[in-house]
Amino acid sequence: MPRQDRIPATPFYRLGGHATFQAITDRFYDLMESEPEFAELRAMHAADLGPMRESLPLFLAGWAGGPRDWFEANPGRCIMSVHKPFEMNKAVAAQWADAMTCAIADVDPQPPELASAMSGILADLARGMSSD
Ligand code: HEM
């Protein structure tokens, strides 16, 4: 973590850093595990969501201008290559977008306008990944 006076003004740091991204991820997978509307998306994932609960916040950290640990640990991997084995249809893409939108709203990171911008971008990104 950079010194307090040198924290970059990227979305990752402005939204509260790892604690915020871990909370969003945990809420996202809690919703996926509990809400029937996300059942198809849940079924695509491994039985144990523990590895994704650790890995997604690290990916999002690097994506949002924070530490790039995930990218350094996964050289050459990107958002397209990690999803290659999966059939990303419109229905599951919408479920991902909806679950993430709810998770960010529930965690309610500050400032709200930045949280809302990130929510919209992630939802668009997920919808844009569908193959049909
Ligand atoms: C169309 C929507 C999406 C679907 C259906 C989807 C589905 C999946 C599935 C099934 C996995 C493997 C999970 C497992 O092994 O248990 C995965 C991995 C992953 N997803 Fe997605 N995903 C979507 C969108 C996104 C988006 C928008 C992001 C990030 C902004 C993302 C980030 C990741 C990452 C980083 C991994 C791999 C983590 C790792 O192996 O370290 N996904 N996704």
Side-chain angles (χ1 to χ4, degrees), residues 52-118:
M52 284 303 298
R53 285 179 187 265
E54 278 184 25
S55 158
L56 186 59
L58 296 179
F59 175 90
L60 291 175
W63 175 81
R68 296 186 57 78
D69 304 37
W70 187 93
F71 293 88
E72 280 156 20
N74 295 281
R77 293 191 89 202
C78 69
I79 193 164
M80 296 316 285
S81 64
V82 299
H83 295 99
K84 226 175 177 144
F86 306 107
E87 195 193 320
M88 312 282 278
N89 62 34
K90 271 201 183 75
V92 288
Q95 288 174 27
W96 198 103
D98 291 349
M100 184 54 77
T101 301
C102 288
I104 294 173
D106 290 348
V107 171
D108 194 20
Q110 304 296 307
E113 63 281 1
L114 185 57
S116 159
M118 184 173 79

Side-chain angles (χ1 to χ4, degrees), residues 24-53 95 99-100 103:
I24 291 170
T25 300
D26 283 334
R27 183 66 187 141
F28 175 73
Y29 289 118
D30 287 350
L31 287 167
M32 205 193 279
E33 288 199 289
S34 63
E35 299 302 315
E37 66 189 285
F38 305 130
E40 200 181 338
L41 179 62
R42 172 67 188 93
M44 291 173 70
H45 286 71
D48 179 6
L49 288 174
M52 284 303 298
R53 285 179 187 265
Q95 288 174 27
M100 184 54 77

